[in-house]
Amino acid sequence: MRRRLLAALTVFAAIAVLAFAVPLSLTYATSRTQELVLGRSGDADRFATLADAVGVEGNDAALAEEVARYHELYDENVLVVDARGATAVNAGVDIIDPAVVAAVADARRNQRPHPIDRLMPWSDPMMLVARPVGTGVQVNGAVVIEASTAQARRDITRAWLVIGLGGAAAMVLFTMLALTLSRWVLRPLAALSRAVAELTATLPKARPAPQTSDDAPPPSIARHYGGPPEMRAVAESFDAMALAVADSTEAQRQLVADTAHAMRNPLAALTIRLDSLEYAVPESAADTFRGASAEVDRLTTLLDGLLTLAVAETPDGFATAAGAEEHRCDAGQVVADRIDAWHSAFDAAGQSLRAEQPGSPAEAAVSADVLAQILDVPLSNSNRYAGSGASTVVSVGIEPDWITVTVRDDGRGVPADEIHKLTTRFFRGSAAQPGGSGLGLPIAAALAQARGGALSVSEVSPHGLAVAVRLPAVVAS
């Protein structure tokens, strides 16, 4: 790919250099040609004026002397003819040359030949400049100068060489810059391609999706990309990596769910057997028995939480029907129901619980059961950890396209360095009471995320904790 990119950049650089050098070269050639034409036209006009003043028929010696000096000084031929076309003064001009004859005839008819627009290094060595003698009413002769273009062509050649060398130097500079730029641009791409290939090699091979029909291809077949081969290789590597990662993640979730299901039955049987032994345990072993029963209950709760979390993180958990009735609810009504359900528990703990309802319905794109399951987590945490005398407020906020339900308490709170860890699986705060699993807030966060929302935890000043659940609002049809 670097060669192709370098070739493209070099072509663009060459076009840019040529677009500058060619007009500059032509402009200089035109300017130098005009300089030569103007100089020789002025000399021809001077000879024509002098010839008209002295009279070309008299063949004045002053005119002949002036022409001779000019011919000797510039080594350019000059011809002066009278009104009849006869030669009056000739300094080296071949009077039978067809071009000279045509120039004299045009000048005698008071027609000035069109000069050369632009000289080139390969142009003719001579250029004819002709002027009539006399006024426009009466032409008394003509003056023809055979102007040498050698010096002008040398100047043009020299200028073109300088411009060419400058263009070549610019091309070398542009090529070096293009080489550096191509390496700089493609180095991360090459590193990324290698990293993706190495990571993909360490992952399990993605399992092909089952065939849905005889003619339909499996959905896991890689897409066909256009563009350079290197970019296509990176895109295909990313597809393979994404399929492998998705398959591995799904396998992990399935393992957690299968493990939780497989262990629930043995734990349930163990619980039944412990319950049947409760009255046969001697008093000396009663504390040990109660500890064992508590551990079994904790393991059962932990497995239930893992199963709930695995279900919440499955792709099916994210596939919600946003417009269906079963996936919408009035957040204010759900909050009122949860306040009623938790009121007695908060009263028993010596805490207060109230709601701040919005002035209008707050339709959230989530089912009432899911929202209730999410809210039960921060309400349970406030009830267990806020402490006696704490006050908990559940508020509902309405924003454009969003509904936010916040559970805020003024209890003991959590240390600032632990706030961001509360949604991490199995993490429990340093001041948390024993018995929890550390899965409550991660489960609530997964449920909110599966519905297109988010859960965040923040401090409350001067003390306390706030858990905000932000969910999409129902779009009015």
Side-chain angles (χ1 to χ4, degrees):
M1 182 176 180
R2 189 176 69 183
R3 289 192 299 270
R4 289 188 295 272
L5 180 60
L6 184 60
L9 292 176
T10 303
V11 169
F12 287 139
I15 293 174
V17 170
L18 290 176
F20 175 77
V22 171
L24 181 60
S25 301
L26 296 178
T27 299
Y28 180 81
T30 301
S31 176
R32 187 63 181 85
T33 303
Q34 291 176 352
E35 180 183 352
L36 175 64
V37 170
L38 289 176
R40 297 303 180 266
S41 297
D43 295 338
D45 290 336
R46 182 169 59 87
F47 287 135
T49 302
L50 182 61
D52 187 50
V54 301
V56 296
E57 293 183 359
N59 195 15
D60 188 86
L63 176 62
E65 183 180 357
E66 184 72 19
V67 169
R69 284 201 303 266
Y70 182 87
H71 175 68
E72 182 180 356
L73 178 63
Y74 294 105
D75 195 23
E76 292 183 352
N77 304 326
V78 180
L79 173 65
V80 180
V81 300
D82 57 17
R84 297 186 302 272
T87 301
V89 178
N90 186 1
V93 177
D94 183 6
I95 61 176
I96 64 174
D97 186 351
V100 173
V101 173
V104 169
D106 290 340
R108 290 177 59 202
R109 291 196 298 270
N110 199 21
Q111 296 178 356
R112 300 186 179 188
H114 185 69
I116 299 175
D117 292 331
R118 183 187 300 121
L119 288 173
M120 297 294 182
W122 52 84
S123 297
D124 293 335
M126 289 294 177
M127 176 180 64
L128 293 178
V129 178
R131 288 293 184 271
V133 176
T135 63
V137 177
Q138 181 179 358
V139 176
N140 298 322
V143 176
V144 177
I145 297 178
E146 287 184 341
S148 174
T149 62
Q151 185 60 42
R153 287 187 289 112
R154 283 195 295 269
D155 293 342
I156 293 173
T157 303
R158 188 181 303 111
W160 283 20
L161 287 175
V162 172
I163 294 173
L165 291 176
M171 277 300 302
V172 171
L173 178 61
F174 287 152
T175 301
M176 294 176 62
L177 290 176
L179 182 61
T180 304
L181 179 63
S182 62
R183 288 177 177 174
W184 178 68
V185 170
L186 296 179
R187 187 180 295 113
L189 179 62
L192 177 62
S193 180
R194 288 194 300 268
V196 170
E198 292 172 0
L199 178 59
T200 305
T202 63
L203 296 173
K205 299 298 182 182
R207 292 173 292 183
Q211 194 89 7
T212 55
S213 65
D214 293 339
D215 298 327
S220 63
I221 290 180
R223 295 184 294 271
H224 294 284
Y225 297 95
E230 292 82 358
M231 296 299 297
R232 293 199 300 269
V234 172
E236 291 168 0
S237 297
F238 263 100
D239 283 347
M241 182 183 68
L243 290 173
V245 169
D247 192 68
S248 178
T249 304
E250 177 61 26
Q252 292 178 5
R253 284 196 293 261
Q254 190 62 42
L255 176 63
V256 172
D258 292 344
T259 302
H261 273 295
M263 293 185 66
R264 288 181 69 183
N265 290 336
L267 281 176
L270 181 59
T271 301
I272 294 174
R273 290 176 181 175
L274 287 175
D275 290 342
S276 65
L277 292 175
E278 182 177 3
Y279 298 103
V281 175
E283 187 64 27
S284 59
D287 292 339
T288 303
F289 177 81
R290 284 192 292 271
S293 298
E295 286 298 320
V296 171
D297 292 339
R298 191 182 71 84
L299 287 176
T300 302
T301 303
L302 180 62
L303 288 176
D304 289 340
L306 287 173
L307 182 59
T308 302
L309 185 60
V311 172
E313 291 181 342
T314 57
D316 292 338
F318 287 83
T320 59
E325 290 296 332
E326 62 270 19
H327 292 296
R328 63 168 61 191
C329 68
D330 185 352
Q333 183 60 48
V334 175
V335 168
D337 293 340
R338 301 327 297 159
I339 293 291
D340 182 66
W342 281 92
H343 203 279
S344 58
F346 276 77
D347 289 342
Q351 302 168 345
S352 65
L353 177 64
R354 63 185 180 88
E356 292 181 354
Q357 296 284 8
S360 58
E363 292 286 333
V366 62
S367 66
D369 292 339
V370 171
L371 181 56
Q373 186 178 357
I374 294 174
L375 293 179
D376 281 344
V377 174
L379 287 172
S380 175
N381 290 344
S382 294
N383 180 247
R384 294 182 63 184
Y385 305 123
S388 178
S391 176
T392 301
V393 179
V394 185
S395 60
V396 180
I398 302 177
E399 308 172 35
D401 302 326
W402 295 99
I403 302 296
T404 302
V405 183
T406 305
V407 179
R408 180 185 298 104
D409 65 62
D410 57 1
R412 292 189 293 266
V414 175
D417 58 343
E418 296 182 357
I419 291 291
H420 67 284
K421 301 178 183 178
L422 293 179
T423 55
T424 304
R425 299 178 187 180
F426 304 110
F427 176 80
R428 304 186 71 248
S430 56
Q433 300 175 2
S437 63
L439 289 175
L441 284 176
I443 291 174
L447 290 173
Q449 185 180 5
R451 272 72 188 175
L455 182 143
S456 60
V457 184
S458 59
E459 293 181 278
V460 174
S461 180
H463 52 80
L465 197 68
V467 177
V469 182
R470 195 165 185 253
L471 297 167
V474 174
V475 180
S477 57

